[in-house]
Amino acid sequence: MDSSALLTLQTAQSQAATAQQSQATAAMTGKTGKSNAKLGLDFETMCLTNLLSPMFEGLQTDGPFGGGHAEETMRSFYVGAMAGQMAKRGGIGISDMMQSQLLKLQEKGVA
C-alpha cells in the first residue's frame, strides 16, 4: 500500500470517527435534560422508598380489608408508590442535587 492510499484511509477513518462522535454528542445533548431528570427522580424515589420501608415493617392490621399475606406482599408496592409521588412533588432535594452533579460530569465529558 503506497503512502497516499494509507493517508486516504486514515483520513476516512478519522472523518468516520468524528461523525460518529458528533452523532453521539448530539443524541446525548438532545436527551440530557430528560434523562438527567428521570435519573434524578428514580434515584430519589429509591432513596425515599428505603427511608419509608422501616415505618411499615411489622405493622399489624386487622379489619375487613386488613391483614394477611396479600397485604404484606403489596405493602412494598404501596411504599414505592408513596415514595414516587413524594419525589414527583419535590421530594427532599436528592433529585436536584443528582441532576446538577450529572450535568457537571457531562460538561467535563465523563458521562
Side-chain angles (χ1 to χ4, degrees), residues 17-73:
T18 303
Q20 187 178 26
Q21 183 179 10
S22 66
Q23 286 176 349
T25 302
M28 189 172 91
T29 305
K31 296 179 182 177
T32 297
K34 288 184 180 179
S35 65
N36 285 351
K38 174 110 174 79
L39 286 170
L41 185 67
D42 290 347
F43 185 73
E44 183 157 5
T45 299
M46 181 196 66
C47 290
L48 287 171
T49 299
N50 288 331
L51 287 171
L52 292 173
S53 292
M55 290 175 37
F56 293 92
E57 288 177 5
L59 184 65
Q60 299 297 321
T61 58
D62 57 354
F65 301 107
H69 183 67
E71 182 178 335
E72 290 176 23
T73 304

Side-chain angles (χ1 to χ4, degrees), residues 1-25:
M1 184 179 276
D2 65 352
S3 61
S4 64
L6 182 60
L7 195 66
T8 304
L9 180 62
Q10 287 175 339
T11 303
Q13 287 175 339
S14 175
Q15 288 173 346
T18 303
Q20 187 178 26
Q21 183 179 10
S22 66
Q23 286 176 349
T25 302

